Amino acid sequence: MARYRFAVEYFGAPFAGWQLQTNGPTVQGELERALETVLRQAVRITGAGRTDAGVHAVGQVAHFDFDGELEPGRLERSLCALTQPHIQVRRLESCPSDFHARYSALSRRYLYRIARRPVALMRELSWHPGFPMDLELFRAELLKIIGKHDFVNFSLPRDDGKPTLCTLVRAEVESEGSFLHVRVEADRFLHRMVRSLVGACFEVARGMHAPGLVEAIFEGRFQGSRIWAPPQGLCLEKVTYPDYDV
């Protein structure tokens, strides 16, 4: 078996997420369908991260194994043609057999885009909350997530025994025109973790909760209602590897 890897960009609105599911089309499912059409055999792909329904990506990475001859450039073009317009594959190439899209990754970086006013062209790629917010309060609250923490309270309830410690190496928000760009980078992320973090910081920035909400959630002291930032503003921006740059 030879191993191949590729980067993939996708518009998440039409999909029930990255991972194969029975309740709707997924990015993984569309790519595997296209691969089977071209290669004439079933092929399973593995992605670097399992983005949720409605979440986008410009830097997702995946790999697959194939026992046969293929020309990477031609296969890349065929996959783009078969999955358009919402999925685009790039940098498809052979790779070492020990490369793993998920486990070889050093970090993942997400971008969350908040619109400061109603927008038309970027409406499906951003969240317009409809409330004024204090950027400095947002930034100060966001900085509290940097470091190694247990993010179990910033994810959907889970009881699967899997680790919930994550190391955040980057957390910043910048104002760019009509948008706030929130970027977070970590070794791993939990289910809906970024959307939970953005929602908590936003609640402080608009005055619904006092500063210190992030610490209260970390410590399990906060029992009130919380807002989850919606999926359309979230994008998997980059996955970092030791020897593969997309």
Side-chain angles (χ1 to χ4, degrees):
M1 282 282 188
R3 179 157 291 187
Y4 298 86
R5 61 190 175 190
F6 59 91
V8 56
E9 175 180 337
Y10 50 87
F11 175 62
F15 301 109
W18 164 268
Q19 190 176 17
L20 288 172
Q21 299 178 38
T22 58
N23 64 337
T26 65
V27 180
Q28 181 184 1
E30 290 299 297
L31 286 166
E32 290 184 358
R33 177 190 59 78
L35 279 168
E36 184 172 0
T37 298
V38 178
L39 301 179
R40 302 186 184 279
Q41 64 178 261
V43 176
R44 178 56 50 89
I45 65 175
T46 299
R50 299 172 179 178
T51 53
D52 295 336
V55 174
H56 320 291
V58 294
Q60 174 74 283
V61 174
H63 78 262
F64 65 92
D65 296 325
F66 180 65
D67 186 14
E69 295 294 324
L70 64 82
E71 199 282 300
R74 179 176 296 177
L75 177 59
E76 179 180 313
R77 292 189 294 272
S78 297
L79 293 179
C80 289
L82 289 168
T83 58
Q84 67 171 334
H86 300 305
I87 300 174
Q88 287 292 308
V89 171
R90 65 179 190 274
R91 286 287 308 274
L92 197 155
E93 62 184 34
S94 62
C95 64
S97 59
D98 61 352
F99 174 86
H100 195 284
R102 181 180 178 187
Y103 298 124
S104 297
L106 299 175
S107 68
R108 292 126 174 110
R109 186 177 78 220
Y110 280 89
L111 163 68
Y112 196 96
R113 186 180 288 109
I114 299 174
R116 308 185 79 166
R117 61 169 178 82
V119 293
L121 295 180
M122 296 291 290
R123 184 173 60 85
E124 294 186 276
L125 297 172
S126 62
W127 173 40
H128 174 54
F131 298 96
M133 58 175 281
D134 186 315
L135 177 57
E136 292 311 311
L137 280 178
F138 190 106
R139 181 176 286 119
E141 201 70 14
L142 186 68
L143 287 173
K144 297 170 184 176
I145 72 174
I146 291 180
K148 188 173 184 178
H149 304 280
D150 187 344
F151 284 88
V152 66
N153 293 329
F154 282 99
S155 68
L156 286 182
R158 54 191 294 166
D159 188 23
D160 55 12
K162 294 181 179 179
T164 53
L165 289 174
C166 307
T167 302
L168 269 290
V169 297
R170 179 180 182 182
E172 61 187 32
V173 55
E174 298 296 335
S175 179
E176 299 183 26
S178 300
F179 299 94
L180 297 179
H181 288 175
V182 184
R183 284 185 171 86
V184 291
E185 183 174 354
D187 57 346
R188 59 196 298 270
F189 288 90
L190 308 182
H191 192 193
R192 297 195 185 178
M193 175 176 151
V194 179
R195 292 169 55 192
S196 178
L197 290 167
V198 171
C201 293
F202 172 73
E203 289 290 81
V204 172
R206 77 176 183 121
M208 288 297 293
H209 296 289
L213 178 61
V214 164
E215 289 109 329
I217 295 172
F218 272 139
E219 297 167 7
R221 294 185 284 108
F222 180 76
Q223 302 298 323
S225 60
R226 292 168 51 197
I227 186 173
W228 295 72
Q232 75 271 13
L234 184 59
C235 179
L236 176 55
E237 195 172 42
K238 186 176 180 63
V239 184
T240 302
Y241 297 93
D243 60 349
Y244 183 57
D245 185 13
V246 295

